[in-house]
């Protein structure tokens, strides 16, 4: 009987031993964080910030690689094809995970080929108008758009970008028509809004806050559920006559599918521990970002719901890539 008991337990012990062998000495060498966008943007800044913070708790050097192109999908696919050993990590975000797969056919599927690891932060956006536009708040801007269907123009960082879909969501919910003017990135779109060539824009708080404070843009509403501490006097879209509106860009770590669960859980725990530190929270706040710690499972559910939501906006608006 004893011999049979040992034989029965042996198959169960093998996977446990294998998992321990895979993860017990992790990390034992340097790793890399991949930003799928060019240097200088929010994704790149957050990637470098998290790499700086994670070196000490993980006890290994971390390098940052920028692999930009096609709305963040080039770098995302690179990580999806990487060896799933816990040494290559992606700074995932709204565009390549929630929007682009619903807009174009990709060579990979983020939901299948990448594993959610840890949410890092949400980044608020803000609706702004050029100072010449006679609208002091979003309700007045909505009235102007409604009075001139299809006449007022708004800039975005490109068709299908978050800066496009955040406005499209407002237009759909409020039943409005406005002229979309896409640019190749947020920088040019903000520049032309400041120059008065388009009337309004919705872009991230980090990208617009300086212009708002200098009076080059007028903030009329933030896209978050609550008012943002950086602009406490600016109401939310929901407060401004569009109840239920909320749109927040997000950033978090992902890894190639097949990465051992024990490694994912360890990285998640270390990220969440770092996000709880007051000094890091202050650094994130300076970038207009709010920490959003989650378990890997909760992060995966969040991404799936976010993708379904923006897929609905894309289909309702019949949005197609340029």
């Amino acid at each position: 009987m004893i011999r049979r008991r040992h034989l029965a337990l042996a198959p169960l012990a093998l996977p446990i031993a294998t998992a321990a062998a895979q993860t017990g000495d992790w990390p034992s060498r340097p790793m890399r964080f991949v930003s799928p966008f060019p240097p200088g943007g929010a994704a790149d800044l957050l990637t470098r910030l998290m790499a700086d913070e994670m070196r000490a708790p993980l006890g290994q050097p971390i390098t940052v690689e920028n692999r930009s192109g096609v709305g963040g999908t080039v770098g995302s696919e690179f990580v999806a094809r990487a060896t799933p050993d816990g040494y290559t990590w992606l700074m995932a975000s709204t565009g390549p995970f929630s929007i682009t797969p619903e807009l174009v056919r990709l060579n990979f599927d983020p939901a299948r080929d990448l594993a959610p690891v840890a949410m890092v932060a949400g980044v608020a956006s803000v609706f702004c108008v050029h100072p010449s536009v006679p609208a002091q708040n979003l309700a007045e801007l909505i009235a102007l758009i409604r009075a001139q269907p299809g006449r007022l123009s708004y800039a975005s960082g490109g068709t299908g970008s978050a800066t496009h879909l955040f406005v499209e969501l407002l237009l759909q919910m409020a039943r409005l028509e406005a002229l979309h003017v896409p640019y190749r990135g947020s920088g040019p779109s903000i520049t032309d809004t400041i120059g008065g060539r388009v009337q309004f824009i919705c872009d991230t708080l980090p990208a617009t806050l300086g212009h708002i404070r200098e009076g080059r843009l007028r903030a009329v509403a933030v896209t978050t559920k609550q008012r943002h501490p950086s602009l406490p006097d600016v109401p939310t879209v929901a407060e401004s006559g569009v109840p239920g509106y909320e749109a927040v860009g997000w950033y978090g770590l992902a890894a190639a599918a097949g990465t051992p669960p024990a490694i994912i859980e360890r990285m998640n725990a270390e990220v969440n521990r770092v996000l709880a530190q007051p000094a890091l929270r202050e650094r994130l706040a300076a970038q207009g970002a709010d920490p959003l710690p989650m378990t890997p499972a909760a992060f995966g559910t969040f991404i799936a719901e976010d993708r379904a939501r923006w897929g609905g906006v894309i289909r309702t608006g019949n949005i197609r890539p340029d």
Side-chain angles (χ1 to χ4, degrees):
M1 293 294 292
I2 294 175
R3 186 175 294 118
R4 282 197 296 271
R5 178 185 296 177
H6 282 301
L7 289 172
L9 289 176
L12 296 177
L14 181 59
I16 296 172
T18 302
Q22 289 177 338
T23 63
D25 61 349
W26 182 89
S28 59
R29 55 185 171 85
M31 60 185 69
R32 56 185 169 180
F33 282 13
V34 175
S35 170
F37 293 97
D44 178 66
L45 292 172
L46 285 175
T47 305
R48 294 179 186 279
L49 178 59
M50 291 306 297
D52 287 344
E53 294 291 336
M54 298 302 295
R55 288 185 183 106
L58 293 174
Q60 291 291 339
I62 301 174
T63 58
V64 173
E65 293 185 12
N66 293 92
R67 292 181 175 266
S68 60
V70 197
T73 60
V74 169
S76 300
E77 183 175 3
F78 172 80
V79 175
R81 306 297 184 208
T83 303
D85 56 6
Y87 290 93
T88 301
W89 305 89
L90 172 71
M91 183 56 75
S93 60
T94 313
F97 270 68
S98 301
I99 295 175
T100 307
E102 296 295 315
L103 194 64
V104 298
R105 181 181 292 276
L106 299 173
N107 295 324
F108 73 108
D109 183 355
R112 181 193 65 222
D113 301 324
L114 287 159
V117 177
M119 174 73 94
V120 172
V123 177
S125 288
V126 56
F127 279 88
C128 300
V129 299
H130 184 268
S132 66
V133 175
Q136 299 300 314
N137 52 57
L138 185 63
E140 292 180 1
L141 176 61
I142 288 174
L144 284 175
I145 297 171
R146 184 164 284 130
Q148 306 173 63
R151 296 281 301 278
L152 267 71
S153 61
Y154 69 94
S156 82
T159 299
S161 65
T163 54
H164 173 203
L165 294 188
F166 284 18
V167 179
E168 179 65 25
L169 178 62
L170 172 73
L171 299 180
Q172 290 182 16
M173 292 181 69
R175 300 181 181 276
L176 302 170
E177 294 181 28
L179 177 64
H180 177 217
V181 183
Y183 290 80
R184 293 187 179 275
S186 287
S189 69
I190 292 173
T191 297
D192 267 17
T193 307
I194 291 171
R197 285 175 280 279
V198 289
Q199 281 74 57
F200 70 103
I201 195 170
C202 180
D203 212 309
T204 65
L205 197 56
T208 57
L209 190 57
H211 301 301
I212 293 167
R213 288 174 173 166
E214 294 295 326
R216 293 186 287 269
L217 293 172
R218 179 188 303 129
V220 295
V222 293
T223 62
T224 44
K225 187 176 293 186
Q226 286 87 30
R227 296 191 184 197
H228 199 275
S230 298
L231 294 170
D233 296 328
V234 178
T236 67
V237 174
E239 285 182 273
S240 305
V242 190
Y245 182 100
E246 182 185 8
V248 178
W250 57 265
Y251 297 90
L253 288 184
T259 299
I263 290 179
I264 289 176
E265 291 291 344
R266 166 81 188 280
M267 179 63 90
N268 177 271
E270 297 293 355
V271 169
N272 290 347
R273 191 173 294 115
V274 164
L275 290 177
Q277 297 174 1
L280 178 61
R281 297 177 77 89
E282 289 180 8
R283 292 181 69 186
L284 287 171
Q287 301 296 330
D290 302 302
L292 294 172
M294 295 182 186
T295 65
F299 187 26
T301 298
F302 174 92
I303 293 172
E305 292 175 349
D306 199 52
R307 178 169 170 174
R309 181 192 194 198
W310 293 116
V313 172
I314 288 167
R315 289 185 290 274
T316 299
N318 193 28
I319 297 169
R320 298 176 181 176
D322 293 331

